[in-house]
Amino acid sequence: MRYLIGFLALLGVVVASLALHVHYSTEMQPCSINEKWDCGIVNHSPYAVIGPVPVAAIGIAGYAAMLILALARRKRLVLLSALVGLGFSLYLTHIEKDVLLVWCVYCVTSLGIISLITLFSLGWTFLGKRAG
């Protein structure tokens, strides 16, 4: 299970890195599909930073931490970090849906990834006897 969670966390690093690229880019993005799906609008909004730190950079760090924790077999810490990440991702999804009225493909993909990591880490922590 730790390798599956680790793989998903690595995938999360990639998706968050793509979002970070959009954050710093001024070019037209391939994820800018129409007026309802535009990563540029989301990643350039005031909600895309906490202080001076881009939210995507926080995502990269969080996914990297989960990758390391999963490979180190730290089940409960993976679960705790996944729950925090899921809560934060749900908050950002609320911002997209109710405030910005625009969706980001990378953000929605990240929500799916952190949701899967949370589900798998719940199973790994509470259902897996000695699953590695």
Side-chain angles (χ1 to χ4, degrees):
M1 186 65 71
R2 68 186 172 122
Y3 293 118
L4 177 58
I5 292 170
F7 173 76
L8 288 169
L10 185 59
L11 191 59
V13 168
V14 171
V15 170
S17 296
L18 291 169
L20 186 63
H21 174 73
V22 171
H23 177 79
Y24 285 115
S25 176
T26 57
E27 301 170 3
M28 179 66 131
Q29 298 301 319
C31 60
S32 297
I33 300 166
N34 58 36
E35 67 277 351
K36 290 292 182 188
W37 290 89
D38 190 330
C39 295
I41 291 172
V42 174
N43 283 290
H44 293 117
S45 79
Y47 300 98
V49 292
I50 296 178
V53 181
V55 167
I58 295 169
I60 293 169
Y63 282 122
M66 283 183 265
L67 170 62
I68 292 166
L69 291 169
L71 295 178
R73 294 185 171 107
R74 302 300 304 261
K75 296 178 186 182
R76 293 189 190 279
L77 289 176
V78 171
L79 176 59
L80 177 63
S81 60
L83 288 170
V84 169
L86 179 62
F88 189 55
S89 189
L90 288 170
Y91 165 74
L92 293 172
T93 301
H94 153 70
I95 295 297
E96 286 179 305
K97 178 183 177 286
D98 298 323
V99 178
L100 299 174
L101 307 174
V102 177
W103 296 93
C104 170
V105 172
Y106 299 138
C107 304
V108 172
T109 302
S110 181
L111 175 61
I113 292 169
I114 193 64
S115 297
L116 287 172
I117 291 173
T118 302
L119 286 173
F120 290 137
S121 63
L122 278 166
W124 189 32
T125 301
F126 296 111
L127 300 177
K129 300 251 189 224
R130 307 237 322 122

